[in-house]
Amino acid sequence: MISRRDFLQTSMAASAILGASGFGQWARIAAQQALTQDQLLEFDSFGNVSLIHITDIHAQLKPIYFREPSVNLGVGPNKGEVPHVTGADFRRMYGIDDGSYAHYALSSGDFTALAKGYGRVGGLDRVATVINQIRADRPDALLLDGGDTWHGSYTCHHTEGQDMVTVMNALKPDAMTFHWEFTLGSERVAEIVEGLPFAALGQNIFDAEWDEPAELFPPYKMFERGGVQIAVIGQAFPYMPIANPGWMFPEYSFGIRDEHMQQMVDEVRSKGAELVLCLSHNGFDVDKKMAGIVTGIDVILSGHTHDALPEPVLVGETIIVASGSNGKFASRVDLDVRDGRMMGFRHKLIPILSDVITPDPEVAAVIDEVRAPHEEALAEVIGKTDSLLYRRGNFNGTWDDVICDALLSEREADIALSPGVRWGPSLLPGQDITREDIWGVTSMSYPAAYRTEMTGEYLHIVLEDVADNLFNPDPYYQQGGDMVRTGGLGYRIDISKPQGSRISNMTLLKTGEQIDPAKTYQVAGWASVNEGTEGPPIWDVVEAHIRKQGTVSAPENNSVEVVGL
């Protein structure tokens, strides 16, 4: 893969695909720290096709705080490549001024101070305003949702996704694809999909019994926009039955299915598609590899790994767009398509700064209506935090530290395990912790907080398996998420080692003793994919713990030593 600079130079010299990003102008305005809505959404229309991409909203209807990761390590061919660059290095790469809106939106440094100055992000009523303004400029723009939409909040859980379906219908997308949606159960997913007024796509969603494409999820849909025949091919999360409970959707199988993707690209081209888009929930590194294998895809709109990149990444002649998560960003991509070929693009990653963007009143009313029956429960204050609570990061996050502490105390365990999921808003020091906040980092349809016995040997196997899922140099063996969070357990990880030899120096923190492979330990955790797992729901465990603490603290966690960088 060539660099961005080489791409721009060679593409201009050869008059091939020519790309431009709106980021440079955004950075200059942001440095003035005086953004207005008009400045934030300013865009010089280009070409004849416009795309709007949102993804990984995780049921966040209202404005939130959301801290980007300070640690996001890449391995193999992706070591040191975006999105595996964070903090000051990331800001230098894109020319982001310290203290600017761009600094706040795209990196983790000085997050608390910047958040207090610049306010919350997201809110689907603000996203609606952005969409409407783009449509005012380009009425036939395609709005595409990358999935992880009907999951992640108190109201989403209690309405079985209906709150998000109702609000998203008001935004009028043209197509979506899927991941966490399937954890509502296949019956509920079918019920919703059959009533959607837009396309529900997944070329890799197959009937598990017959190993053929599932009829409910077409592989693609054709659109005519700007005088151009456009094919949108859906790519659902490939590893559903591994990362999530397969017993909740036994009718379906998934996988990357490169060969079938190539067949779909060839098929839509034979039907006259002049522009081929992949609406993907693969994750960014998987999308990069797929782009190097499957020929003929012009644009991949990437989701799942929650990456927010101010410029697309080029693989061959395929551009890959990453639009963040939790309603924090929307991407606009304008394309020049002539003579059956994409000739160039212009792109802007738009941060949804809630204090800058005026809410759309119609969508705001819909949001208030779906939340109204739950407002009293949502707003109840459970405690307070004197630490910044966040989730993102390869090895630990302070929200996960609080969850692990809750498991240790409430389930009377030696060791706690919490899944390395990426979703969940942040809280600033001094904020109240409401029930809505707790559910924002725990809501799922398999929430049982189990308590079981594990030998030291088995614990080592668990950590090694998760480490390979994260740090296998082949992206096709990386099946989503970050490292399992541990409470009461420290360890050393060498990410450069091969499978089975990355984890060492496992220590029981309360005694300082090395973990004995033959000894049995009491372990508490949650989000087990095994059917029939028993235990109280994790949100009740965390709520009970926070009530007892009153004010929670999450001091710096140095229990994981990382080497081999």
Side-chain angles (χ1 to χ4, degrees):
M1 194 180 101
I2 63 175
S3 71
R4 175 172 59 92
R5 178 178 297 173
D6 290 340
F7 162 54
L8 292 173
Q9 290 174 343
T10 57
S11 61
M12 285 187 284
S15 297
I17 298 174
L18 175 60
S21 170
F23 174 75
Q25 184 179 23
W26 171 32
R28 288 192 296 273
I29 296 172
Q32 299 169 13
Q33 300 185 10
L35 272 176
T36 65
Q37 179 173 303
D38 287 343
Q39 289 172 325
L40 190 63
L41 303 185
E42 185 179 0
F43 193 96
D44 293 328
S45 296
F46 175 78
N48 47 354
V49 173
S50 289
L51 313 176
I52 310 167
H53 181 227
I54 53 177
T55 190
D56 296 276
I57 295 169
H58 285 286
Q60 298 305 316
L61 293 171
K62 290 284 192 176
I64 59 171
Y65 295 108
F66 188 84
R67 174 189 180 272
E68 298 298 323
S70 56
V71 179
N72 184 2
L73 301 177
V75 292
N78 293 304
K79 183 177 181 179
E81 298 289 324
V82 294
H84 306 289
V85 181
T86 61
D89 291 335
F90 184 92
R91 297 195 297 275
R92 279 193 294 270
M93 176 177 287
Y94 290 106
I96 296 172
D97 292 324
D98 288 349
S100 67
Y101 279 105
H103 178 174
Y104 171 52
L106 285 162
S107 67
S108 59
D110 299 319
F111 180 81
T112 297
L114 293 174
K116 289 178 179 177
Y118 295 147
R120 288 175 168 82
V121 297
L124 288 191
D125 50 2
R126 276 79 164 178
V127 173
T129 296
V130 173
I131 292 168
N132 291 340
Q133 185 153 328
I134 295 172
R135 283 173 169 161
D137 180 39
R138 301 293 277 261
D140 59 356
L142 279 174
L143 173 59
L144 303 171
D145 172 16
D148 275 1
T149 307
W150 318 332
H151 161 270
S153 73
Y154 182 98
T155 56
C156 192
H157 180 84
H158 284 82
T159 64
E160 295 184 284
Q162 190 60 50
D163 65 331
M164 289 303 300
V165 173
T166 300
V167 175
M168 291 302 294
N169 285 352
L171 299 184
K172 299 178 182 178
D174 293 288
M176 73 174 294
T177 194
F178 301 91
H179 173 200
W180 275 92
E181 288 80 3
F182 275 92
T183 64
L184 292 172
S186 51
E187 184 176 340
R188 176 59 175 154
V189 170
E191 179 185 11
I192 295 174
V193 168
E194 287 168 356
L196 287 179
F198 53 87
L201 305 177
Q203 73 85 23
N204 60 333
I205 306 176
F206 272 48
D207 182 290
E209 182 177 359
W210 300 103
D211 194 33
E212 59 186 25
E215 292 184 2
L216 187 62
F217 304 95
Y220 60 82
K221 183 171 181 179
M222 304 287 288
F223 299 87
E224 183 178 350
R225 301 294 169 93
V228 176
Q229 290 293 324
I230 303 169
V232 179
I233 304 175
Q235 177 79 352
F237 180 56
Y239 304 112
M240 284 294 307
I242 300 171
N244 305 98
W247 55 268
M248 290 183 164
F249 38 87
E251 300 93 334
Y252 301 109
S253 65
F254 298 83
I256 297 171
R257 300 188 186 271
D258 282 340
E259 291 184 6
H260 192 254
M261 175 66 82
Q262 186 67 69
Q263 291 172 18
M264 294 301 97
V265 173
D266 296 343
E267 183 174 313
V268 298
R269 290 287 187 189
S270 72
K271 291 183 175 181
E274 302 167 271
L275 179 70
V276 177
L277 314 176
C278 176
L279 181 59
S280 172
H281 206 87
N282 276 337
F284 198 84
D285 290 349
V286 175
D287 281 328
K288 284 173 63 180
K289 180 171 179 178
M290 185 179 72
I293 295 173
V294 178
T295 60
I297 300 174
D298 295 301
V299 181
I300 297 177
L301 301 169
S302 186
H304 176 60
T305 39
H306 292 198
D307 309 302
L309 296 180
E311 295 180 359
V313 168
L314 182 76
V315 178
E317 291 195 346
T318 301
I319 66 170
I320 307 176
V321 175
S323 304
S325 68
N326 287 267
K328 186 178 178 181
F329 298 96
S331 286
R332 175 175 176 175
V333 185
D334 278 15
L335 304 162
D336 179 16
V337 182
R338 285 177 281 144
D339 302 321
R341 183 182 177 195
M342 185 178 75
M343 304 301 292
F345 70 90
R346 185 168 290 154
H347 161 271
K348 188 171 187 178
L349 178 70
I350 303 168
I352 310 299
L353 298 172
S354 305
D355 291 343
V356 175
I357 299 172
T358 302
D360 176 80
E362 293 182 9
V363 173
V366 175
I367 291 172
D368 289 344
E369 183 178 356
V370 299
R371 285 172 56 90
H374 311 281
E375 280 292 356
E376 185 176 350
L378 292 169
E380 184 174 348
V381 174
I382 310 302
K384 185 183 289 286
T385 178
D386 64 8
S387 302
L388 171 63
L389 298 184
Y390 62 88
R391 169 159 276 161
R392 286 301 311 275
N394 285 152
F395 301 102
N396 47 45
T398 49
W399 249 129
D400 293 301
D401 292 339
V402 171
I403 293 171
C404 284
D405 288 346
L407 287 166
L408 291 172
S409 62
E410 296 297 314
R411 302 296 282 150
E412 298 179 346
D414 302 314
I415 293 167
L417 303 177
S418 187
V421 294
R422 299 185 181 93
W423 42 269
S426 306
L427 288 180
L428 304 184
Q431 274 194 267
D432 288 335
I433 302 173
T434 66
R435 181 170 290 115
E436 181 169 22
D437 297 325
I438 294 171
W439 279 73
V441 292
T442 60
S443 178
M444 62 167 60
S445 55
Y446 46 106
Y450 61 82
R451 184 175 185 270
T452 190
E453 293 184 344
M454 293 184 187
T455 64
E457 180 183 21
Y458 186 73
L459 279 164
H460 184 261
I461 291 171
V462 168
L463 293 182
E464 287 283 4
D465 283 351
V466 179
D468 193 61
N469 175 39
L470 188 59
F471 297 115
N472 191 300
D474 185 343
Y476 277 16
Y477 289 92
Q478 298 171 9
Q479 295 161 357
D482 285 315
M483 193 65 188
V484 62
R485 279 61 165 119
T486 58
L489 173 69
Y491 62 91
R492 182 176 190 263
I493 179 169
D494 187 336
I495 66 170
S496 68
K497 296 286 187 180
Q499 183 177 9
S501 57
R502 294 185 178 97
I503 306 295
S504 62
N505 294 355
M506 293 172 58
T507 305
L508 186 65
L509 295 180
K510 67 181 179 181
T511 65
E513 298 173 351
Q514 292 288 300
I515 295 292
D516 184 342
K519 188 175 178 179
T520 298
Y521 300 88
Q522 294 292 335
V523 178
W526 64 290
S528 170
V529 299
N530 297 321
E531 188 172 10
T533 300
E534 296 182 351
I538 186 61
W539 46 78
D540 284 353
V541 173
V542 175
E543 181 172 319
H545 174 72
I546 292 175
R547 284 191 185 278
K548 291 175 183 176
Q549 296 292 311
T551 298
V552 299
S553 296
E556 186 177 359
N557 186 340
N558 297 310
S559 62
V560 180
E561 180 188 2
V562 184
V563 298
L565 303 177

